[in-house]
Amino acid sequence: MILVNRAKTPDRRPGRANVALDALAPFLNRSIQGAMANDTDPPPQEAPAPEAPTLESLVRDLGAVAKRQDRAAFARLFAHFAPRVKGYLMRLGAERAQADDLMQDVMLTVWRKAPGYDPQMASPATWIFAIARNRRIDALRRDKRADLDPDDPGLMPDADALPDRVLDARMWETRLAGAIADLPPEQAQMLRLAYYEDRSHGDIATSLRLPLGTVKSRLRLAVARLRTMFESDT
Amino acid sequence: MTNLAQIPAHIPDEWLLDHAAGATPEPVAVLVEAHLALSAPARATYARLAAVGGVLLEQQAPADVAPDALARLMARIEANPAPVRAAAPAAAGLLPASLSAYTGPSIENLAWRRIVRGVEQATLKLGGPSPYELSLLRIAAGKSIPQHTHEGDELLLVLAGSFEDGRAGYARGDVCAADASVDHAPVADRATDCLCLHVANAPIKLTGPFGRLLNPLLKLARR
């Protein structure tokens, strides 16, 4: 089941996000080692445990920005996401200054578009990742007529969703972290190349000298495994 | 070779994953966005793959941000602090909004050219160079594209009408994905013309008994 009955939505204890992050650690170590083989990013920092925001506090802060234009809430979001967005942009090859400019645009979009954020559709991180991804793509395009919608139509509220079967994307993400951590290495590598190195499945086949069909199979297996994780014990 | 025929009416997961990761070439991104606007099942899968990006962003090693970065951003924000109210998602017209930017207000104004009898194509202008070509394809009611296979990847999103290709039927919002493993002949429904968005990175290769002779003449994609 991918749609979660609202009545079954689990409690919202602070710290659920951290559970997800811990579960992801093995994958990240692997992926970071792979991606870092010949770049100069600083090594990953341990998250400072005491003040690290929780998934719930991030959702709350984003809501406060949307409703009250709450500057303090925005400062907390900035402190958490700005360095990560910049790190993501630099991992994908942006120069430091360009990454700074793009990060500023991304965080400005977060402020402006906060009222469009729907916590039932995505976590704050997923929503901000989509903004950062689209801003980066727009910056690479010469012709502005092709600008992507920063709202990401794929993450807009679903008019067809039944009210009592709303998907709780936040619960997904807790599971998703675990599912990614459990992927076989060759499937995790596919995700890493796509998300961290900007490679389409066709590019992955070329760069790894694998038949296109093999790459497609691995990606589909990875997606199928993630799907299975979502659907088990719901 | 992976068997595309197993999941004929939906876009294969690898394309949605490319898009969620930000790795899709522009023409493919246009097609995927239009597909997402029209297909709830595709949106459900996509939301999952988008969440992979969120999980990875949470785990991204933070980069150093200048101490005055927030202050500089707040100065920009204070100049115009009102957030933008999100417009309610509009019901998609014939063309999803993201696609209209490429077609202009009326598809009749595009430069249509005849491919074979009953099949017309209008190439859409892109923002930058791409190995893929983006076009609209119109198959007149009851007409067909001759039997063919592919030298690259082809995605066909139905915007209006419907067609079938011997593997499955495709209605508005469905995607027919084809590659070198697929040999098909799309036939439009007899009642209505079929309008599709077409993305391909290689010409098709005709495989029917007469089609082979026409190969040099028929180009559904450059290259």
Side-chain angles (χ1 to χ4, degrees), chain B residues 17-198:
Chain B
L17 189 135
D18 283 357
H19 193 65
T24 23
E26 180 186 359
V28 180
V30 172
L31 184 138
V32 172
E33 285 193 3
H35 179 45
L36 288 173
L38 299 176
S39 165
R43 281 196 296 276
T45 301
Y46 176 76
R48 245 184 239 121
L49 298 173
V52 173
V55 171
L56 296 180
L57 182 63
E58 277 294 350
Q59 288 294 304
Q60 169 65 44
D64 287 335
V65 167
D68 67 342
L70 177 59
R72 279 188 288 130
L73 179 57
M74 289 317 293
R76 279 172 79 187
I77 286 172
E78 298 303 347
N80 181 13
V84 179
R85 291 284 142 195
L94 174 63
L95 303 181
S98 59
L99 183 55
S100 317
Y102 287 83
T103 59
S106 167
I107 63 168
E108 296 309 324
N109 296 338
L110 296 168
W112 290 95
R113 64 178 193 284
R114 198 182 100 150
I115 303 296
V116 293
R117 185 196 293 274
V119 181
E120 293 176 298
Q121 185 182 31
T123 302
L124 302 179
K125 186 176 175 293
L126 298 170
S130 171
Y132 289 86
E133 189 172 84
L134 179 70
S135 65
L136 288 175
L137 203 57
R138 195 153 54 182
I139 312 171
K143 298 294 183 191
S144 70
I145 299 176
Q147 188 80 27
H148 65 275
T149 185
H150 313 80
E151 291 177 342
D153 280 308
E154 178 189 71
L155 298 170
L156 206 49
L157 167 69
V158 179
L159 297 167
S162 64
F163 74 84
E164 61 89 11
D165 70 350
R167 299 183 301 156
Y170 306 86
R172 176 166 161 88
D174 289 341
V175 166
C176 172
D179 61 16
S181 70
V182 174
D183 192 313
H184 66 168
V187 184
D189 179 78
R190 262 188 229 175
T192 46
D193 292 354
C194 181
L195 179 70
C196 297
L197 185 64
H198 179 259

Side-chain angles (χ1 to χ4, degrees), chain A residues 2 24 28 71 80 83-84 86 91 104-105 111-112 133 143 145 152 158 195 198 201 213 216 220 230, chain B residues 2 14 18 20 22 43 46 48-49 55 58-60 63-64 69 76 78 81 83-84 125 127 179:
Chain A
I2 51 148
L24 190 53
L28 283 154
R71 269 77 171 164
H80 183 68
R84 287 170 173 78
K86 185 174 168 185
R91 183 192 286 279
Q104 293 255 342
D105 282 352
W111 173 275
R112 293 210 169 130
R133 180 199 67 197
D143 185 334
R145 86 200 197 110
D152 193 342
D158 196 333
Y195 286 82
D198 196 20
H201 66 275
K216 287 180 180 178
R220 286 177 199 176
F230 288 122
Chain B
T2 321
E14 62 271 17
D18 283 357
R43 281 196 296 276
Y46 176 76
R48 245 184 239 121
L49 298 173
V55 171
E58 277 294 350
Q59 288 294 304
Q60 169 65 44
D64 287 335
R76 279 172 79 187
E78 298 303 347
V84 179
K125 186 176 175 293
D179 61 16

Side-chain angles (χ1 to χ4, degrees), chain A:
Chain A
M1 251 347 255
I2 51 148
L3 293 173
V4 180
N5 192 311
R6 196 196 285 279
K8 285 203 228 159
T9 302
D11 61 358
R12 299 283 164 77
R13 275 173 289 122
R16 279 180 55 226
N18 294 339
V19 173
L21 302 190
D22 290 343
L24 190 53
F27 167 73
L28 283 154
N29 290 340
R30 206 156 62 210
S31 65
I32 287 165
Q33 281 159 12
M36 300 263 300
N38 48 12
D39 73 22
T40 54
D41 276 8
Q45 296 170 7
E46 293 300 322
E51 330 149 11
T54 63
L55 189 55
E56 284 309 305
S57 77
L58 294 170
V59 169
R60 209 164 42 236
D61 283 342
L62 204 41
V65 171
K67 288 193 203 89
R68 300 189 295 276
Q69 304 176 32
D70 185 323
R71 269 77 171 164
F74 184 71
R76 287 191 291 274
L77 291 169
F78 188 94
H80 183 68
F81 285 115
R84 287 170 173 78
V85 167
K86 185 174 168 185
Y88 160 73
L89 294 165
M90 289 176 68
R91 183 192 286 279
L92 282 168
E95 300 293 330
R96 186 167 291 276
Q98 188 197 15
D100 260 321
D101 288 349
L102 274 174
M103 176 276 284
Q104 293 255 342
D105 282 352
V106 170
M107 295 310 295
L108 181 63
T109 304
V110 169
W111 173 275
R112 293 210 169 130
K113 296 278 186 175
Y117 169 69
D118 178 353
Q120 295 290 347
M121 289 303 295
S123 73
T126 294
W127 185 68
I128 292 173
F129 176 83
I131 292 172
R133 180 199 67 197
N134 287 357
R135 291 298 302 147
R136 176 179 164 275
I137 294 170
D138 289 343
L140 293 174
R141 286 190 187 158
R142 289 178 223 163
D143 185 334
K144 286 308 197 178
R145 86 200 197 110
D147 267 8
L148 296 170
D149 183 347
D151 286 334
D152 193 342
L155 294 179
M156 290 300 278
D158 196 333
D160 300 336
L162 298 172
D164 62 338
R165 284 160 62 84
V166 175
L167 128 165
D168 188 329
R170 287 170 295 178
M171 196 179 87
W172 277 9
E173 283 176 38
T174 307
R175 292 189 179 189
L176 180 58
I180 293 171
D182 286 343
L183 286 177
E186 73 278 6
Q187 292 169 28
Q189 181 192 33
M190 299 287 118
L191 294 190
R192 187 166 74 231
L193 289 169
Y195 286 82
Y196 281 172
E197 297 190 18
D198 196 20
R199 309 270 180 90
S200 69
H201 66 275
D203 295 339
I204 292 173
T206 308
S207 62
L208 298 184
R209 296 170 188 276
L210 286 171
L212 188 56
T214 303
V215 171
K216 287 180 180 178
S217 298
R218 286 185 188 173
L219 283 171
R220 286 177 199 176
L221 283 171
V223 175
R225 278 183 73 104
L226 299 183
R227 187 176 281 142
T228 314
M229 295 299 286
F230 288 122
E231 288 167 2
S232 60
D233 47 68
T234 24

